[in-house]
Amino acid sequence: MDEAVLYFQQQWTPAELDNFKNKPERDAVIELHQGTGIWIRNNWVYSDRDTALRNYFKALGIYAPDDISSIILTSLHRTLNKKEIELDKQVETYKAYWQPIIDCNEKQKTRAVSNYNKFKVGDNITIYMPVDTSEGNRNAVHYNCPTTEWAFNERKDLILKGTVTKKFFINDTANVFFTVRVTYLNRKDTPILMEQVQTGNERNFSLIGLTIE
């Protein structure tokens, strides 16, 4: 961390340092997220380009490139203003943000694997999907963690019935999929994840976050 902060102290001009220093911390970091932040991620973080730095943050429990660049910029701002960087508190803030998402993802994976084991090739299944109409069009979607709960609305949402023709996983045994031959749609004007689907089509469905019976 000291080396990362020192790099910008040495590379930026006094005017650039003063400009960054004299802005409120949150504003200063947000303004540089798409500029210097991208530079940090591209040159130091992605593909473990700086292995020592990446391992340093992994040891702290910080994995997201955006979080790494934001912590570096926040620490730089505090250093310039002669404040304690309070690294532990910064780390805990990001961990607190991610923990509900991590917990939700684990529950979703467990549920997906349970459904994967429950159904066999040749079984008939019914899939329920929420439909987004916020942009004036209909589109069946998945809700992402941590907010995945939804109540089926028969006037708006999608019901799809079909037959499982294939079961498979990709890279991870918890990343499970069904190939389904569609036999019924309650609404034929509803793309699924922006892809038009008709009866008779075969389509792959990720079971993570999918409501099926």
Side-chain angles (χ1 to χ4, degrees), residues 91-152:
V91 167
E92 289 307 313
T93 297
Y94 286 101
K95 284 184 175 180
Y97 169 82
W98 284 109
Q99 194 58 53
I101 298 173
I102 292 169
D103 293 343
C104 173
N105 282 331
E106 289 303 313
K107 289 180 181 178
Q108 293 279 62
K109 287 182 178 181
T110 299
R111 182 179 177 186
V113 171
S114 176
N115 283 328
Y116 185 81
N117 294 329
K118 178 180 177 182
F119 293 94
K120 304 183 298 294
V121 171
D123 284 349
N124 294 323
I125 65 172
T126 301
I127 297 172
Y128 301 88
M129 297 186 72
V131 173
D132 177 22
T133 59
S134 60
E135 296 184 2
N137 300 311
R138 293 177 55 79
N139 181 40
V141 298
H142 287 296
Y143 289 138
N144 296 320
C145 287
T147 307
T148 59
E149 298 301 322
W150 62 285
F152 179 77

Side-chain angles (χ1 to χ4, degrees), residues 18-196:
D18 283 342
N19 183 52
F20 180 71
K21 169 186 173 181
N22 293 327
K23 291 177 180 176
E25 178 181 292
R26 179 176 173 80
D27 292 347
V29 173
I30 288 175
E31 285 181 18
L32 292 188
H33 181 76
Q34 295 299 329
T36 304
I38 288 178
W39 186 93
I40 292 171
R41 297 190 290 276
N42 286 344
N43 289 276
W44 291 350
V45 180
Y46 290 138
S47 302
D48 289 332
R49 292 186 178 181
D50 186 328
T51 304
L53 182 71
R54 191 64 187 263
N55 288 342
Y56 172 77
F57 277 101
K58 285 181 179 178
L60 294 173
I62 300 296
Y63 302 93
D66 282 0
D67 296 350
I68 293 173
S69 61
S70 292
I71 289 173
I72 290 172
L73 289 173
T74 298
S75 299
L76 171 63
H77 191 274
R78 292 179 181 179
T79 298
L80 293 174
N81 283 282
K82 301 188 182 328
K83 296 179 179 179
E84 293 291 331
I85 66 171
E86 297 186 312
L87 182 59
D88 290 346
K89 289 184 179 180
Q90 290 191 65
V91 167
E92 289 307 313
T93 297
Y94 286 101
K95 284 184 175 180
Y97 169 82
W98 284 109
Q99 194 58 53
I101 298 173
I102 292 169
D103 293 343
C104 173
N105 282 331
E106 289 303 313
K107 289 180 181 178
Q108 293 279 62
K109 287 182 178 181
T110 299
R111 182 179 177 186
V113 171
S114 176
N115 283 328
Y116 185 81
N117 294 329
K118 178 180 177 182
F119 293 94
K120 304 183 298 294
V121 171
D123 284 349
N124 294 323
I125 65 172
T126 301
I127 297 172
Y128 301 88
M129 297 186 72
V131 173
D132 177 22
T133 59
S134 60
E135 296 184 2
N137 300 311
R138 293 177 55 79
N139 181 40
V141 298
H142 287 296
Y143 289 138
N144 296 320
C145 287
T147 307
T148 59
E149 298 301 322
W150 62 285
F152 179 77
N153 182 339
E154 63 180 13
R155 289 187 170 186
K156 178 174 74 75
D157 295 328
L158 181 69
I159 301 175
L160 181 152
K161 296 183 180 182
T163 303
V164 178
T165 60
K166 183 179 179 183
K167 299 170 57 174
F168 62 99
F169 63 87
I170 297 176
N171 297 329
D172 181 347
T173 54
N175 187 25
V176 288
F177 295 78
F178 284 163
T179 302
V180 177
R181 181 180 296 113
V182 180
T183 59
Y184 169 82
L185 293 163
N186 69 325
R187 292 285 298 262
K188 297 182 180 180
D189 60 347
T190 307
I192 297 174
L193 302 176
M194 304 301 291
E195 179 182 333
Q196 197 66 48

